[in-house]
Amino acid sequence: MTPLARSRLRSTVIHLVLFIVLGFWMMPQVYMLSIGLRTPAQAFDAALFTWPVTFDNFATVIRDNPLGGIFLNSLIVTVATVAIVVAVASLFAFACAILRLKGSLFLYTTLLTTLMVPLASMVLPLAILLRNFGWVNTYIGLILPYAALGVPFAMVILKSFLEDAPRELFEAARVDGCNAWQTYWHVALPLVRPALVFVTIWQFIVTWNEFFLALIVLTKAEMKTLTIVPMQYSGLYMANPGALFAVLTLIALPLILLYVLVQRAFVRGLLAGAVKG
Amino acid sequence: MATLSIDKITKAFGSVMVIPELSLTVPDGEFCVLVGPSGCGKSTLLRIIAGLEPVNSGRILVDGVDMSDAEPPERGVAMVFQSYALYPHMDVGRNIGFGLEIARTPSAEIAERVRRAADKLRLSSYLRRRPRELSGGQRQRVAIGRAITRKPKLFLLDEPLSNLDAALRVGMRIEIARLKAELASTMIYVTHDQVEAMTLADRIVVMDGGRIEQVGTPLELYHRPANLFVAGFIGSPAMNFLKGRVATVQDKQATVRLVLGPTLDIPVSKPLEPGDEVILGIRPEHVLLSAEEHPDVHVVKAGVVELLGSDTFIHVRDGEENLVIRDSSGRVARAGDRIAISLPTSACHLFDKTGHRISENAPTRWEPIPAKARIN
Amino acid sequence: MRAEAVRAGPAAAIERRPASRTSTLYLFALPATLLFVVFIAYPILWVAGQSFYVRSGSGTSSFAGLANYVTVLGDPTFWIVVRNMLLWGVITIPVQMLIGGVLAYFIERHTHALRGFFRTMFFLPVVTSVSVISLVWVQIYAPYYGIAQEYLKHVGFVMMTSPIGDPKMAIYALVIVNIWQWTGFSMLMYIAGIANLPSEVLDAARVDGARGWRLAMHVIVPMLAPATKSLLLLGVIGTLQTFPIVHLMTGGGPNRASEVFGTFIFKQSFVLGDTGSGAALSVIVLVVALVLSLLQIVTLGARLTPAGKERA
């Protein structure tokens, strides 16, 4: 065999194996969709696929449930959290990496310990704190704790990007007459755009899917977010898996679609230096 | 257009003193070059002038006004950075006009001034491009354009040519020389390249270890270096230093016996005693090659010979003493040749043990080219 | 935190920068500091304090010293939790690294046109809501109509009951779900690591004759050490905060067999209302996390985030 033919064969085999592994990997999602598409008669069949398919379940659950409102709750909490995290973390990273304020390194190290704190040990005190603030069942009661937990990670990424940027650029901005805010806005933020995109997407995913704190803070039905409603549907549709899995599919879908749309930018940010060995 | 006065400034990074105490005045409209080996503090000094680096003590005055605490724009400085420091996310036009934008200049005026700068620097067709789409020379011109649109009082350049390849560097050097004539603003230029310093400067400030070694016009530095450091730094190949001892002193005339052999009579300005150790400096281009042996010449054996076409560099080694001869006559020597040299006393510089200049003569051969020889 | 700003005053004066100018710059650091103080530092201090108090039936709390800790450590469930957490960490972290690393290697070095497709598809479980995932896996594991028992039957693996209903099997069944969900994350971390390997080193290795298996084992794996260390650190913290999968799939059962720190704290604090032992548990988890993390940071030089780079 010529080297070219050999490498082509190897490539085909590798692709084949990857597709087979992916087939197994995607089974839970395929199964979810497949149950959602079943008629009541097939709902309990022990099979990955059944025939025929029906969209009745989707029509039913969309008609019967306030999914739009729940989706909106998730969106409000997530977008607000992401905005706060990106703004606060980039300001802080700028203070550390560019302004090099006295004491900022100490603050930075202190904030970093947040990353070592498991959420499990924070839910009890946060729940009490939010109760004292009267923030149970409010958006802000989720947004601010999420932001506090998210800022350290974003700040690490942004700081490392800012430190990699040529220092002369920030000096040039000073010579051009920029004050600290103008330098932050006109020079620092555009320079770290890939990192901002990365941080935004990652924070969006984490916030959208957060479960533990949401479970404790949101008890009123009209405040609930998408991640905590599946439980109640599993009770509601116990005898109707088709409807349950249609709802689950609808709940999982927005973030999956969003990720597929932005994954290029996300991976680009990651490759641009979020991880460097 | 401004006079810059630096008044007894000191600068330390932590416990490291980079500028012990330094004063300097740059008059209005002068092109002043700060030159010295890397780490001599020249870039730090420039950054202090720019207002990017605070001083520990002393004052910076622009036109007599104390600007020690002022931000760069208040001082009226513009700066060209070594790496150009162009904003990668802005196009050329916005890069050039950004300082005006921050100063809230009306946009019509920004556009006009950007256009004029771009015309002057032949950048007009690149205004919509991003810096990464430009060549090194073009980026360099953008960096200069950014500085000149500000109409700065002080125009600072930090090794602006060091990132360019050799061919471009010559072209940009000429461009900067032309700019200097057009702008007539006070320019301060940092470089480690003495050719740039010699060709561009009205006045050169030679620095070493955070101190000013000598300030003077290029030709003053070339012909009357104040000490061994300046003598060795200015000129290429570097000046030869030959060890010697004073034999006799008479009427401010010292007879010096060199370790290499010859004895020379050199006028001195400082008192000397017979037996004092001295160092004699002579530039490679001033060492004369003689055709034949006679009492005034000294015969040495050629070591490595470098042929550059226009010039021939002959390296001579005799014990501890090294000598380089630059011959532009077009003659060719080979390693091992016995050659006769003479050291004209008018071109000799004498330094004492501490490195200070003690010879009196100023062998300035600076005279106008005769009118007939000029090309009109 | 204000002390920092005050301290900068005289220091800035030495550098002869007007103090007013520098102190306003602390506004850049203020929001992050406030968030940290109110929502991280204060709750931690509060929970640490509460762990020394017991609340009586009438609602008044009294100082109880280490009583809460004694109660918690004497609870047999606590030791089931410890065992489960150990199993969880010891299985999920290396398995995710291994599968994620192998996937990353083949995707990054042997695919071109489909690279983005594979990267995205294997990462999808990470972005799929964990509550959805949990319910799907309950269905998969279900007896009679779940596909797991149906298909595993054909390879000679007969399940009579749902594995999550079996006290011996439950924790392993949950571990599998966790591995499935988070392997894509390990894969992406390794992909970033592989993509950023200096190509000169790989070329040099080829010139030295290292190819295929030897190239992977002797050159690529060691050079991915930073990603591996980050994953280890993130894995330990992730293990300690495990909650949704367990809460939704088994609720810690059957008979507390799959209890983890998250569900244990949740039950003590919110179901039983015993904030004293809930606080003591929170503090224990926190201390374990900090000790294990710092241990890794000190001994391995591991990093807390996938970000940042080796700095001398």
Side-chain angles (χ1 to χ4, degrees):
Chain A
M1 244 192 307
T2 66
L4 191 68
R6 200 163 50 210
S7 89
R8 195 167 291 160
L9 179 71
R10 191 177 56 192
S11 166
T12 311
V13 170
I14 286 170
H15 277 81
L16 206 64
V17 171
L18 279 174
F19 270 114
I20 291 168
V21 174
L22 182 63
F24 279 104
W25 212 256
M26 296 305 293
M27 230 160 18
Q29 268 118 339
V30 172
Y31 188 45
M32 170 176 75
L33 184 63
S34 152
I35 300 179
L37 293 172
R38 290 177 191 185
T39 60
Q42 311 155 326
F44 287 99
D45 287 0
L48 189 52
F49 300 104
T50 57
W51 192 258
V53 298
T54 169
F55 287 95
D56 290 352
N57 294 319
F58 285 90
T60 313
V61 296
I62 290 172
R63 195 188 57 223
D64 292 351
N65 296 294
L67 286 176
I70 301 168
F71 175 82
L72 204 63
N73 288 340
S74 279
L75 198 66
I76 291 169
V77 169
T78 306
V79 168
T81 302
V82 169
I84 293 175
V85 165
V86 169
V88 169
S90 60
L91 285 170
F92 191 85
F94 184 74
C96 287
I98 305 304
L99 299 176
R100 304 205 175 164
L101 299 181
K102 286 196 167 53
S104 63
L105 199 66
F106 167 76
L107 273 177
Y108 175 79
T109 323
T110 311
L111 262 63
L112 268 189
T113 55
T114 308
L115 294 172
M116 297 186 269
V117 176
L119 184 60
S121 63
M122 294 291 294
V123 284
L124 172 62
L126 279 175
I128 308 275
L129 182 77
L130 296 175
R131 201 164 62 202
N132 293 342
F133 284 0
W135 283 358
V136 176
N137 280 315
T138 62
Y139 295 130
I140 195 87
L142 273 189
I143 293 168
L144 290 183
Y146 283 167
L149 290 162
V151 162
F153 175 79
M155 146 197 112
V156 175
I157 306 251
L158 294 172
K159 175 169 173 273
S160 108
F161 266 73
L162 280 174
E163 276 167 352
D164 278 1
R167 270 200 87 67
E168 283 194 337
L169 274 177
F170 298 101
E171 292 175 345
R174 220 171 134 192
V175 173
D176 271 336
C178 291
N179 60 31
W181 294 98
Q182 289 167 322
T183 308
Y184 165 78
W185 185 254
H186 289 293
V187 181
L189 285 189
L191 271 178
V192 298
R193 233 184 64 169
L196 287 175
V197 171
F198 173 78
V199 164
T200 301
I201 297 172
W202 180 245
Q203 187 63 45
F204 198 100
I205 295 171
V206 170
T207 311
W208 186 272
N209 282 338
E210 202 288 320
F211 178 80
F212 206 163
L213 202 60
L215 178 71
I216 284 156
V217 175
L218 305 178
T219 52
K220 260 201 279 184
E222 67 267 27
M223 290 304 296
K224 287 189 175 173
T225 55
L226 281 177
T227 42
I228 53 175
V229 290
M231 286 190 306
Q232 69 201 47
Y233 286 124
S234 78
L236 184 64
Y237 293 121
M238 185 120 54
N240 187 0
L244 173 61
F245 283 80
V247 155
L248 294 185
T249 308
L250 290 174
I251 286 170
L253 210 54
L255 198 64
I256 291 180
L257 288 181
L258 183 77
Y259 180 73
V260 170
L261 282 179
V262 298
Q263 58 89 14
R264 284 174 85 81
F266 180 68
V267 174
R268 195 187 308 131
L270 192 70
L271 298 193
V275 177
K276 272 183 191 161
Chain B
M1 296 283 271
T3 301
L4 169 74
S5 306
I6 299 168
D7 183 23
K8 294 188 192 139
I9 58 159
T10 63
K11 173 69 187 172
F13 289 119
S15 60
V16 184
M17 186 59 89
V18 277
I19 296 178
E21 181 177 296
L22 185 147
S23 295
L24 175 71
T25 299
V26 183
D28 188 9
E30 183 177 88
F31 194 115
C32 173
V33 174
L34 305 180
V35 70
S38 55
C40 72
K42 57 189 190 299
S43 279
T44 305
L45 179 59
L46 192 76
R47 293 162 51 80
I48 288 171
I49 296 169
L52 293 172
E53 209 68 76
V55 291
N56 294 78
S57 65
R59 295 183 307 159
I60 304 283
L61 300 106
V62 179
D63 281 337
V65 181
D66 187 349
M67 287 287 180
S68 311
D69 294 331
E71 278 293 298
E74 303 166 50
R75 301 179 185 211
V77 304
M79 186 157 172
V80 175
F81 290 87
Q82 185 171 5
S83 67
Y84 318 142
L86 302 180
Y87 308 116
H89 53 284
M90 300 181 192
D91 64 22
V92 168
R94 186 143 181 249
N95 259 292
I96 294 178
F98 186 63
L100 300 173
E101 191 183 319
I102 290 297
R104 297 181 190 282
T105 311
S107 54
E109 191 187 339
I110 297 180
E112 173 58 22
R113 275 158 79 172
V114 167
R115 194 189 57 74
R116 241 182 296 150
D119 278 351
K120 193 177 286 180
L121 294 161
R122 290 174 283 113
L123 287 168
S124 303
S125 48
Y126 304 106
L127 284 178
R128 294 273 77 83
R129 294 217 195 154
R130 293 287 174 90
R132 64 167 178 276
E133 300 165 295
L134 302 179
S135 70
Q138 288 165 339
R139 285 180 208 178
Q140 172 69 81
R141 294 208 297 273
V142 176
I144 292 173
R146 170 162 80 180
I148 62 178
T149 43
R150 303 275 313 280
K151 296 186 181 158
K153 290 185 192 167
L154 296 175
F155 194 155
L156 312 179
L157 302 99
D158 186 6
E159 308 228 9
L161 305 185
S162 60
N163 281 350
L164 298 176
D165 62 47
L168 265 176
R169 201 177 302 174
V170 176
M172 276 314 294
R173 205 168 71 205
I174 292 163
E175 201 136 353
I176 289 175
R178 187 160 53 220
L179 213 58
K180 157 187 161 184
E182 283 177 33
L183 291 178
S185 71
T186 308
M187 294 169 95
I188 301 171
Y189 185 109
V190 163
T191 181
H192 63 269
D193 182 317
Q194 46 124 340
V195 177
E196 285 170 28
M198 295 296 282
T199 52
L200 290 171
D202 294 326
R203 219 156 48 112
I204 296 178
V205 176
V206 183
M207 292 183 65
D208 186 38
R211 281 169 222 280
I212 293 179
E213 296 288 339
Q214 189 173 2
V215 181
T217 65
L219 290 175
E220 275 168 13
L221 298 187
Y222 181 80
H223 292 300
R224 281 191 62 93
N227 52 44
L228 278 178
F229 179 81
V230 177
F233 192 80
I234 300 290
S236 174
M239 185 184 281
N240 296 300
F241 295 126
L242 303 169
K243 286 203 200 79
R245 218 174 258 285
V246 175
T248 58
V249 187
Q250 210 169 28
D251 279 352
K252 298 216 156 196
Q253 180 106 349
T255 305
V256 176
R257 185 179 301 282
L258 296 179
V259 175
L260 197 62
T263 303
L264 300 163
D265 292 333
I266 297 168
V268 292
S269 55
K270 301 225 170 77
L272 280 175
E273 296 292 321
D276 283 354
E277 283 176 32
V278 289
I279 292 160
L280 179 126
I282 183 159
R283 296 194 182 278
E285 54 270 38
H286 295 154
V287 179
L288 298 178
L289 292 181
S290 307
E292 55 206 88
E293 300 187 16
H294 63 82
D296 279 351
V297 306
H298 182 68
V299 176
V300 292
K301 201 166 87 178
V304 174
V305 175
E306 296 175 298
L307 303 174
L308 272 67
S310 62
D311 295 318
T312 303
F313 295 158
I314 303 163
H315 297 257
V316 173
R317 169 161 229 172
D318 187 344
E320 296 271 289
E321 300 295 277
N322 288 303
L323 184 72
V324 181
I325 303 152
R326 173 182 191 160
D327 179 49
S328 305
S329 65
R331 287 170 295 189
V332 175
R334 274 170 314 204
D337 282 359
R338 285 169 62 78
I339 50 177
I341 59 167
S342 67
L343 309 174
T345 52
S346 63
C348 287
H349 309 261
L350 205 59
F351 303 93
D352 65 18
K353 257 192 315 202
T354 60
H356 289 99
R357 178 185 191 85
I358 46 176
S359 53
E360 175 54 33
N361 62 325
T364 308
R365 299 172 180 193
W366 175 240
E367 47 190 79
I369 298 171
K372 267 184 286 182
R374 285 191 201 147
I375 297 158
N376 290 311
Chain C
M1 298 303 138
R2 290 303 305 158
E4 291 304 318
V6 172
R7 188 137 42 90
I14 293 167
E15 294 199 328
R16 304 208 351 201
R17 198 79 70 67
S20 63
R21 223 180 252 169
T22 34
S23 61
T24 61
L25 295 182
Y26 278 86
L27 290 176
F28 281 91
L30 188 65
T33 311
L34 274 181
L35 278 178
F36 176 78
V37 169
V38 177
F39 294 101
I40 310 288
Y42 174 73
I44 287 175
L45 293 178
W46 183 89
V47 83
Q50 279 304 303
S51 69
F52 298 110
Y53 286 86
V54 285
R55 184 115 44 102
S56 65
S58 59
T60 53
S61 29
S62 54
F63 185 75
L66 293 173
N68 288 321
Y69 291 93
V70 173
T71 313
V72 164
L73 293 178
D75 186 342
T77 310
F78 179 82
W79 299 102
I80 297 176
V81 168
V82 170
R83 187 204 63 154
N84 284 343
M85 292 275 73
L86 275 175
L87 277 175
W88 195 282
V90 167
I91 300 171
T92 56
I93 298 172
V95 171
Q96 281 170 11
M97 280 180 188
L98 187 68
I99 305 177
V102 170
L103 285 175
Y105 176 80
F106 283 107
I107 291 172
E108 208 51 32
R109 295 196 50 83
H110 293 285
T111 68
H112 298 284
L114 291 173
R115 189 179 293 169
F117 170 77
F118 284 123
R119 279 175 178 172
T120 309
M121 295 310 275
F122 280 109
F123 194 71
L124 284 190
V126 178
V127 301
T128 308
S129 173
V130 66
S131 38
V132 170
I133 282 171
S134 302
L135 294 181
V136 172
W137 278 86
V138 168
Q139 187 81 359
I140 290 174
Y141 283 147
Y144 309 119
Y145 53 86
I147 51 171
Q149 51 89 22
E150 174 67 19
Y151 291 136
L152 288 176
K153 207 160 57 186
H154 298 300
V155 290
F157 195 85
V158 180
M159 289 192 297
M160 300 308 289
T161 56
S162 169
I164 55 174
D166 178 342
K168 284 206 186 64
M169 296 285 293
I171 192 73
Y172 300 101
L174 299 176
V175 159
I176 288 175
V177 179
N178 190 74
I179 290 173
W180 175 78
Q181 190 183 10
W182 287 99
T183 292
F185 182 78
S186 301
M187 174 201 73
L188 212 57
M189 291 277 292
Y190 279 124
I191 281 181
I194 291 170
N196 282 319
L197 288 180
S199 57
E200 292 94 344
V201 175
L202 297 180
D203 289 344
R206 281 186 66 181
V207 171
D208 286 340
R211 306 179 62 191
W213 175 251
R214 289 164 58 94
L215 179 72
M217 290 313 292
H218 295 289
V219 181
I220 294 179
V221 168
M223 287 180 73
L224 292 177
T228 307
K229 289 175 191 168
S230 301
L231 283 174
L232 182 62
L233 196 47
L234 294 170
V236 168
I237 297 163
T239 298
L240 289 171
Q241 62 189 1
T242 301
F243 176 74
I245 289 179
V246 181
H247 179 75
L248 290 162
M249 292 184 69
T250 67
N255 194 22
R256 318 211 89 174
S258 62
E259 206 79 72
V260 293
F261 274 128
T263 55
F264 196 27
I265 290 174
F266 179 76
K267 275 180 200 159
Q268 294 296 324
S269 312
F270 300 103
V271 180
L272 303 176
D274 179 1
T275 42
S277 62
L281 272 170
S282 299
V283 172
I284 290 170
V285 174
L286 189 69
V287 169
V288 169
L290 290 180
V291 168
L292 288 180
S293 304
L294 291 175
L295 213 61
Q296 288 182 68
I297 291 169
V298 171
T299 58
L300 299 176
R303 289 183 311 249
L304 277 160
T305 62
K309 50 226 70 182
E310 300 283 275
R311 285 190 199 286

